[in-house]
Amino acid sequence: LLNNFLQVSKVLIITNAKRGWVEYSSSILLPKVHNMIIKYIPVISARAEFEHLVGIKEWKKEAFMSLNEI
């Protein structure tokens, strides 16, 4: 499924987890998905990017809003 999405659209992961958590946990639990993430899928830690600027309820909102700048 993920491979199909990569063929037709830009895929990225936005998480409230600490930077590196998606990569770490996927390497243990989903090694094939991990390889795809490392090669093709940007991971944005909303927490790392925005916790010093806004409250926890706003992290992801700000991360999505920043996509216009990418």
Side-chain angles (χ1 to χ4, degrees):
L1 183 64
L2 186 54
N3 192 42
N4 289 341
F5 282 125
L6 286 166
Q7 300 301 315
V8 297
S9 182
K10 181 175 181 169
V11 176
L12 56 96
I13 296 170
I14 297 181
T15 179
N16 277 349
K18 290 183 179 182
R19 184 173 283 131
W21 173 249
V22 170
E23 295 86 346
Y24 171 74
S25 60
S26 66
S27 71
I28 294 169
L29 300 171
L30 301 163
K32 289 181 183 178
V33 173
H34 171 75
N35 289 334
M36 294 178 78
I37 290 171
I38 296 302
K39 289 182 183 178
Y40 306 113
I41 303 172
V43 178
I44 298 168
S45 169
R47 178 182 192 164
E49 298 293 326
F50 297 102
E51 75 176 328
H52 63 286
L53 299 173
V54 296
I56 189 170
K57 292 182 179 181
E58 301 293 316
W59 295 347
K60 276 196 180 176
K61 177 182 172 187
E62 291 297 323
F64 278 102
M65 297 294 286
S66 74
L67 293 179
N68 292 332
E69 300 169 11
I70 296 177

